[in-house]
């Protein structure tokens, strides 16, 4: 955001798209040559690392076994929809702030474009730190048996959403620039704790199908990026503080809705339709075992879980 503000002010708004588009192309080239479909396909992975990955999250075999996901079980699973709703709720606030913060800082707080871009980056810098910190704390609580996986995921996700809602509303009524910036920074920062809840939850409930579940949730979670800016543009027609208060209230309401749904429906336990036991041969000649891989006929799974 700081770079975008600087480019827009000194070079022109189109330069933002050219610069970051070029970076995206360079990233794609690196991804193409450095990334493998599965850990077992990676040319430089060690036997020890592969065993650790597969024992932790299961064996990635759909590409080799042509296993069809048990769609009925996935789409009728309440823990899956808890993840979807949480992802949607988090991204609503995320995209609202991402697309609207520079405008809010400029229209309500009176900052110029570059300073608005600089301040808009602060909440996401805070989030980058809190994601790492929150994940470490949550894993510590789980690995030392202070909390079960289900309780840990719910605690971090629900508390993250509630705190974000509180600071969003606080921002709406802040009379001082420093207070508004602090509330937004802290509020968005707490989103990092929510991410340590729902974002890795697919690996808890169905490691074999985690990518599919995350893809499903991310599809719904992309919708706020389309809907939220349109709503903001429609409501903030006169660029007044009271209009922006409505935007913050909507974001807070969505956060609270996500907290309730996730708190009731989420689970950290392996789901019955994702359970089985299988081996896979490591590139170095060994074998790794997992008890979280689904190789059964998905139609039989769906019959067992109507």
């Amino acid at each position: 955001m700081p770079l975008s503000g600087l480019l827009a002010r000194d070079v022109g708004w189109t330069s933002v798209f050219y610069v970051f588009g070029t970076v995206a192309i360079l990233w794609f080239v690196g991804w193409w040559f450095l990334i493998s479909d599965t850990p077992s396909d990676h040319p430089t992975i060690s036997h020890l690392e592969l065993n650790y990955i597969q024992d932790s999250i299961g064996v990635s075999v759909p590409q080799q076994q042509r296993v069809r996901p048990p769609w009925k079980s996935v789409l009728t699973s309440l823990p899956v929809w808890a993840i979807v709703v949480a992802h949607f709720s988090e991204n609503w606030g995320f995209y609202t702030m991402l697309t609207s913060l520079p405008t809010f800082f400029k229209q309500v707080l009176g900052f110029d474009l570059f300073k608005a871009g600089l301040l808009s980056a602060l909440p996401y810098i805070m989030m980058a730190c809190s994601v790492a910190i929150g994940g470490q704390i949550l894993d510590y609580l789980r690995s030392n048996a202070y909390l079960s996986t289900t309780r840990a995921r719910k605690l971090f996700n629900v508390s993250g959403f509630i705190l974000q809602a509180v600071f969003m509303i606080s921002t709406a009524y802040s009379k001082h620039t420093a207070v508004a910036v602090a509330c937004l920074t802290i509020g968005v920062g707490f989103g990092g704790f929510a991410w340590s809840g729902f974002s890795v939850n697919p690996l808890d409930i169905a490691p074999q199908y985690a990518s599919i579940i995350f893809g499903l949730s991310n599809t719904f979670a992309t919708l706020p990026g389309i809907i939220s800016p349109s709503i903001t543009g429609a409501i903030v027609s006169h660029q007044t503080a009271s209009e922006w208060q409505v935007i913050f209230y909507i974001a807070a309401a969505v956060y609270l809705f996500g907290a309730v749904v996730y708190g009731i429906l989420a689970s950290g336990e392996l789901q019955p339709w994702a359970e089985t036991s299988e081996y896979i041969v490591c590139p170095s000649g060994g074998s790794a075992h997992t008890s979280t891989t689904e190789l059964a006929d998905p139609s039989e799974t769906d019959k067992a879980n109507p």
Side-chain angles (χ1 to χ4, degrees):
M1 285 185 176
L3 181 58
S4 295
L6 184 62
L7 288 170
R9 186 189 67 179
D10 296 343
V11 183
W13 67 267
T14 56
S15 64
V16 177
F17 294 90
Y18 288 123
V19 169
F20 288 103
T22 301
V23 172
I25 293 172
L26 295 175
W27 175 88
F28 167 75
V29 172
W31 178 276
W32 183 268
F33 288 103
L34 297 176
I35 302 301
S36 299
D37 285 340
T38 67
S40 60
D41 290 334
H42 200 283
T44 62
I45 194 169
S46 67
H47 176 82
L48 181 63
E49 183 180 5
L50 181 61
N51 272 280
Y52 175 76
I53 293 173
Q54 292 174 339
D55 286 341
S56 299
I57 65 172
V59 183
S60 300
V61 296
Q63 298 92 340
Q64 298 138 356
Q65 300 288 342
R66 298 183 182 276
V67 176
R68 291 186 298 113
W71 286 110
K72 180 181 176 182
S73 297
V74 172
L75 295 177
T76 56
S77 172
L78 293 181
V80 168
W81 287 105
I83 294 170
V84 172
V85 171
H87 200 167
F88 178 93
S89 301
E90 173 59 30
N91 273 21
W92 183 280
F94 182 87
Y95 282 125
T96 298
M97 295 300 100
L98 186 68
T99 58
S100 303
L101 268 185
T103 306
F104 172 75
F105 281 132
K106 184 174 185 296
Q107 293 179 353
V108 178
L109 303 182
F111 290 110
D112 64 25
L113 190 61
F114 173 66
K115 186 175 289 187
L118 184 64
L119 290 174
S120 298
L122 291 179
Y124 298 99
I125 294 173
M126 175 68 77
M127 177 180 276
C129 297
S130 65
V131 166
I133 295 171
Q136 291 295 322
I137 296 174
L138 191 149
D139 285 343
Y140 174 81
L141 295 174
R142 290 174 59 239
S143 60
N144 288 278
Y146 291 114
L147 290 173
S148 67
T149 300
T150 298
R151 289 182 177 179
R153 299 286 183 223
K154 287 184 177 183
L155 173 64
F156 276 66
N157 202 103
V158 172
S159 62
F161 279 0
I162 291 175
L163 288 169
Q164 286 184 97
V166 169
F167 281 101
M168 286 292 172
I169 295 174
S170 299
T171 301
Y173 289 96
S174 298
K175 301 298 184 181
H176 301 285
T177 300
V179 175
V181 172
C183 286
L184 281 172
T185 300
I186 297 171
V188 175
F190 274 117
F193 286 83
W195 276 95
S196 65
F198 74 84
S199 68
V200 292
N201 202 187
L203 293 170
D204 301 322
I205 65 173
Q208 179 69 5
Y209 303 110
S211 59
I212 294 172
I213 296 171
F214 192 85
L216 175 67
S217 73
N218 203 37
T219 299
F220 283 93
T222 302
L223 295 178
I226 303 171
I227 301 171
S228 176
S230 301
I231 291 177
T232 301
I235 293 176
V236 186
S237 56
H238 299 94
Q239 304 177 5
T240 63
S242 61
E243 291 174 338
W244 280 102
Q245 288 175 357
V246 176
I247 301 302
F248 289 119
Y249 265 113
I250 293 174
V254 174
Y255 277 135
L256 292 176
F257 173 72
V260 171
V261 173
Y262 193 86
I264 295 173
L265 301 181
S267 173
E269 303 303 319
L270 183 67
Q271 298 301 291
W273 45 267
E275 263 182 3
T276 193
S277 180
E278 189 56 41
Y279 287 86
I280 188 170
V281 177
C282 301
S284 56
S287 63
H289 176 266
T290 178
S291 59
T292 57
T293 307
E294 169 70 289
L295 294 177
D297 184 347
S299 62
E300 295 299 322
T301 304
D302 287 338
K303 291 177 183 177
N305 298 276

